[in-house]
Amino acid sequence: MTAADVSFMAHALRLAERGLYSTDPNPRVGCVVVRDGEVIGEGWHCRAGEPHAEVFALRQAGDRARGADVYVTLEPCSHHGRTPPCADALIAAGVSRVVVAMEDPNPRVAGTGLAGLKDAGIRVDIGVLQDQAQRLNPGFIQRMRLARPWVRCKMAMSLDGRTALANGESRWITGEPARRDVHHWRARSSAVMTGAATVLADDPALTVRLATSSWEQQGCAGMIRQPLRVVLDSRLRTPVGARILQQPGETWFFAAVGQEAPGATALEAAGGRVEYVATLPDGAGLDLTTVMQRLAQLGVNEVWLEAGPTMSGALLKANLVDELILYVAPIIMGDRARGLFGLPAITRMVDCMRLEIADVRAVGDDWRIIARPAQAPDAS
């Protein structure tokens, strides 16, 4: 691996980020074609069903691609899906070397693209900036390897760890910059999830509300995609007039088996979709693992969880939260205000859940902390 390899792969990763909001359910991928130290073609995947990054880069390079080096952030695909195999396109273009950041975890590819390139006499190098490439697609990787999406749990809290006053008032704990930051996280997510209690208390829309310029900066202008809205509503208590049902895009409800009517009929008539899930043996709510498996089947890569302490605590307890996105406001709410997570009482320090801090930064007057449960499986 040379300094030039790192530089060109970093450029390909920057291109891949332009598909951050739009590629679902596909991964974000960037590609650069280089000849004699000069970039002669570049591309990124923007939307499922459209050409992949390699195709755009090869088109731009034209005949000059013959004998060139190619840098791509994910193993070129080797199967026919909505588009032809990218490995075949690289072979047909006559490139001499392909540098890949990481192998594709999709079982339909998983090394076969690399093998095809090698069989065609093309030199293949893998692993350049692999960690960065993995961080770009944690949900896609986890869905392919563990059959469940990557779940981020968002919480806004005071400096003393409270999410709402004792009477339930919580608007607004954080400032406008932090709330705007939340919409960027929503935008990159496949689904935004909440619980019936939050719908009943706050009547949220759970949509992405960003200025058009924010999307255009990503290189996919006019491609605003509203994530799937998911409500865990075991008894189907959501009213048909809820704002969540009045928004563009789809809204799915997960209810307990045995709640098929009449609530389901009313919600589906209002445009929702109802799925049924078994409850846990101890009666502690829906089988959340089954919910996540079903979302993975739908092609959901990343879930953005905005819920109260009961649901957030249940997912955390079930080891289904991969990241915590905590917005900390410089205010004190007092010990009678509501806490972060509804969890069983912990009586020994050794039993406390350990977190690994991944990032801390200021967002306006607030602080954003990204932390991961130390025992949670890592998609990389």
Side-chain angles (χ1 to χ4, degrees), residues 336-359:
R336 299 198 179 191
R338 300 181 182 181
L340 279 176
F341 300 104
L343 292 169
I346 299 173
T347 58
R348 301 186 307 163
M349 287 299 296
V350 71
D351 295 328
C352 292
M353 182 173 290
R354 303 293 173 180
L355 303 176
E356 297 173 352
I357 304 299
D359 185 73

Side-chain angles (χ1 to χ4, degrees), residues 142-272:
Q142 182 149 287
R143 180 165 67 88
M144 291 297 153
R145 291 181 177 171
L146 302 180
R148 70 174 182 86
W150 184 267
V151 178
R152 296 184 176 95
C153 176
K154 169 258 178 181
M155 285 286 186
M157 66 181 189
S158 63
L159 199 59
D160 54 344
R162 305 294 172 171
T163 62
L165 297 176
N167 63 7
E169 183 181 345
S170 62
R171 292 187 178 182
W172 295 101
I173 292 177
T174 56
E176 175 59 28
R179 298 198 295 273
R180 188 165 57 247
D181 189 61
V182 167
H183 282 277
H184 284 277
W185 285 101
R186 283 186 186 178
R188 68 169 289 169
S189 302
S190 315
V192 178
M193 176 183 285
T194 194
T198 298
V199 173
L200 292 171
D202 300 334
D203 195 21
L206 295 186
T207 53
V208 175
R209 299 183 292 280
L210 288 175
T212 303
S213 59
S214 296
W215 299 83
E216 291 175 343
Q217 289 169 5
Q218 295 300 118
C220 293
M223 296 184 62
I224 295 178
R225 173 189 58 81
Q226 290 295 341
L228 173 69
R229 293 179 295 277
V230 177
V231 183
L232 302 190
D233 188 357
S234 60
R235 290 179 285 153
L236 293 178
R237 296 182 293 157
T238 300
V240 295
R243 291 177 66 206
I244 202 168
L245 286 164
Q246 316 303 319
Q247 311 305 318
E250 294 184 77
T251 304
W252 282 49
F253 297 87
F254 283 87
V257 171
Q259 298 290 327
E260 286 78 356
T265 302
L267 288 174
E268 290 183 332

